[in-house]
Amino acid sequence: MSSAALKVQSEKSQLSAQKLSPVIGAEVSGVDLRQPLSPETRDELHQLLLAHKVLFFRNQDISYEQHLAFARNFGELYDHPTGGLDKYRTIQPIDAREFVKHGYDLRKNHWHTDTSWRLNPSFGAVLRAADIPDVGGDTIWANGGEILRGMPADLREQIDSLYVIHDYQDALKKSGVRYPLVAHPIIRTHPETGEDIFWVNWSLKPRIVDLDRAESDALLARLYDEVKRPEYQVRFRWQKHSVAFWDNRAALHYAVRDYGDYPRVMERVLIGSNDIPYRVRPQA
Ligand code: SIN
């Protein structure tokens, strides 16, 4: 594919999006996230998000207020029960020192989606690099549609009508929150694009409904091998003032913990949604 073919230039504004991998992720330029977005630019960014699933912005020295204002263009902000910054509750610091405090274990790091324990998980997130190591601490996103399309047919058939439990009960109890245990379809149909998306969260003790524990674990292990394929991924190297904006309904992500005891801090704003994941089946 030529680089020209990879470039989407908008006629309506200065926005341009350069793909960072053939299947997911584009770096967007021509927008200043410190400024309010015009409705046209907001709509174009929304369309770019649907097309690329994760958008990256460089050299965006945004304040807390500008971070929140940018995210608010795409929906109501979600106030996570585990809390946020004192002055800005909807900005959640993701602080590596917390991993160390709770016993750093690389094997507890998983491919996941955000807030999938909710009946209506978040639409997406805007993540800002607050303090990052010189090298390392990248984040990877995987295209949930590509994962599904790339799967062996027998595996895809096996998961076709299955549901998986998303269990965040321990953390919720610690925060004094009661919320019922939720299961979602393993394959969800994207509410805007209609694309079928593979959507399992390995951070939330997944267990497949109607299978016994051993069967569920075996199937999930086979599925995890599919999720991990680099062909479905984009890996983003953070720099000072980088921002990522992703569609949580379409992609899984993984934060690489390869930076030792560096106190990496990211700041995340979650955008809420009323959508309950569902599956639309083609008419027979
Ligand atoms: C997240 O998992 O939402 C944050 C990703 C990161 O820390 O890079």
Side-chain angles (χ1 to χ4, degrees):
M1 212 179 300
S2 76
S3 63
L6 290 175
K7 199 155 186 174
V8 184
Q9 181 72 48
S10 160
E11 286 174 10
K12 292 185 221 143
S13 72
Q14 298 302 307
L15 281 185
S16 97
Q18 184 79 41
K19 279 189 170 193
L20 295 194
S21 93
V23 294
I24 181 169
E27 187 171 322
V28 177
S29 54
V31 62
D32 180 350
L33 302 192
R34 293 171 305 178
Q35 306 299 332
L37 300 183
S38 68
E40 293 77 21
T41 303
R42 182 200 58 213
D43 291 349
E44 281 180 69
L45 284 171
H46 189 153
Q47 290 309 315
L48 286 172
L49 184 72
L50 295 180
H52 299 289
K53 301 183 176 165
V54 51
L55 303 179
F56 303 108
F57 305 86
R58 296 283 190 196
N59 305 314
Q60 301 283 349
D61 184 7
I62 51 173
S63 65
Y64 292 134
E65 285 87 357
Q66 288 158 349
H67 188 173
L68 293 167
F70 175 71
R72 248 186 234 114
N73 282 294
F74 304 96
E76 254 180 54
L77 304 188
Y78 177 64
D79 187 352
H80 200 283
T82 56
L85 297 178
D86 286 344
K87 194 163 166 218
Y88 302 94
R89 257 200 70 89
T90 47
I91 300 183
Q92 270 190 295
I94 300 174
D95 187 333
R97 283 167 296 201
E98 290 297 310
F99 311 141
V100 176
K101 206 156 73 185
H102 295 113
Y104 182 87
D105 179 355
L106 199 59
R107 271 154 201 84
K108 286 193 186 141
N109 196 12
H110 296 296
W111 281 95
H112 63 280
T113 57
D114 294 327
T115 67
S116 65
W117 52 273
R118 290 180 54 78
L119 190 60
N120 51 334
S122 49
F123 160 94
V126 180
L127 186 69
R128 188 183 84 87
D131 189 350
I132 41 159
D134 287 341
V135 64
D138 300 350
T139 309
I140 314 176
W141 282 263
N143 180 332
E146 285 294 322
I147 293 169
L148 194 61
R149 288 188 288 278
M151 248 176 225
D154 71 302
L155 188 55
R156 196 186 154 132
E157 260 165 48
Q158 232 183 315
I159 61 169
D160 193 58
S161 52
L162 292 179
Y163 280 67
V164 64
I165 291 167
H166 297 249
D167 182 352
Y168 193 48
Q169 294 293 310
D170 288 346
L172 289 172
K173 274 182 202 138
K174 272 190 209 138
S175 305
V177 175
R178 290 187 58 157
Y179 197 89
L181 194 55
V182 161
H184 293 302
I186 293 183
I187 303 173
R188 68 178 287 191
T189 303
H190 193 285
E192 292 189 82
T193 63
E195 183 183 14
D196 281 343
I197 302 288
F198 176 81
W199 212 72
V200 174
N201 184 342
W202 269 271
S203 288
L204 299 189
K205 303 183 200 156
R207 171 140 186 209
I208 299 175
V209 177
D210 290 337
L211 298 190
D212 68 31
R213 169 67 74 186
E215 283 173 328
S216 169
D217 286 351
L219 184 51
L220 286 166
R222 222 183 137 198
L223 292 167
Y224 207 54
D225 284 343
E226 298 301 313
V227 170
K228 285 189 292 189
R229 291 186 188 283
E231 287 79 1
Y232 307 142
Q233 302 171 6
V234 62
R235 181 169 178 145
F236 187 60
R237 173 166 283 201
W238 293 96
Q239 292 166 356
K240 200 171 177 194
H241 302 148
S242 298
V243 172
F245 172 29
W246 67 91
D247 184 344
N248 188 51
R249 307 159 302 173
L252 285 73
H253 58 282
Y254 183 101
V256 182
R257 290 189 199 158
D258 57 355
Y259 42 86
D261 56 6
Y262 188 89
R264 175 183 184 268
V265 182
M266 308 297 283
E267 286 165 355
R268 185 179 69 179
V269 174
L270 292 167
I271 302 161
S273 165
N274 290 325
D275 292 323
I276 299 171
Y278 59 86
R279 174 84 191 283
V280 175
R281 289 168 188 288
Q283 297 290 328

